[in-house]
Amino acid sequence: MISRLLYLMIVGVLLFTVDGLGQNTWVKTYGGQSSGGDWGQSITTTLDGGYVLTGYTSSNNGDFSGMNKGKYDILVMKLNQNGDTVWKKTFGGSQNESGDSIKTTTDGGYLLTGVTSSNDGE
């Protein structure tokens, strides 16, 4: 079986997979252009062989155009096995939020933990 390693990096979320022989199988960058940036914090595999990740973003353009709700918002993205975006969502209010960890549940859902400073919004 081919093992896969995933890396999350600061200022734009950069993901790449590496097979058991150390060869890249795909490389993708997700994000927008902001002074604050986009951060990936946690990623896990999904039941369909894809990935779901969480982190936070202050971007309101690029991949996250029209999605910003305040300062930093929780970001959740579902990717297929090739790293293509299936869906993406932000959660937040007028202050700072961050998604810290995400896990797949046995029924195909997701369990997300994070932090919020807002008392408005979602």
Side-chain angles (χ1 to χ4, degrees):
M1 183 171 160
I2 296 176
S3 64
R4 293 178 183 244
L5 301 174
L6 299 169
Y7 291 90
L8 301 176
M9 298 189 70
I10 300 175
V11 189
V13 178
L14 170 69
L15 296 177
F16 61 94
T17 62
V18 179
D19 67 18
L21 301 174
Q23 302 295 313
N24 284 346
T25 55
W26 56 261
V27 177
K28 302 275 182 161
T29 304
Y30 313 90
Q33 298 173 353
S34 77
S35 58
D38 310 300
W39 281 263
Q41 296 288 97
S42 178
I43 190 167
T44 191
T45 55
T46 57
L47 298 179
D48 63 2
Y51 308 93
V52 65
L53 69 91
T54 191
Y56 53 102
T57 181
S58 64
S59 294
N60 198 25
N61 55 24
D63 292 323
F64 309 134
S65 182
M67 297 178 69
N68 188 270
K69 296 171 175 46
K71 294 180 180 179
Y72 287 97
D73 295 325
I74 294 172
L75 169 67
V76 179
M77 290 181 69
K78 170 69 171 86
L79 309 173
N80 67 18
Q81 59 199 5
N82 298 316
D84 300 321
T85 302
V86 175
W87 54 260
K88 56 195 169 203
K89 175 113 174 102
T90 56
F91 300 93
S94 60
Q95 297 301 311
N96 291 321
E97 283 74 41
S98 68
D100 295 327
S101 181
I102 195 161
K103 303 291 182 195
T104 303
T105 60
T106 56
D107 64 357
Y110 308 105
L111 185 62
L112 171 71
T113 62
V115 177
T116 183
S117 299
S118 299
N119 61 4
D120 58 358
E122 300 165 313

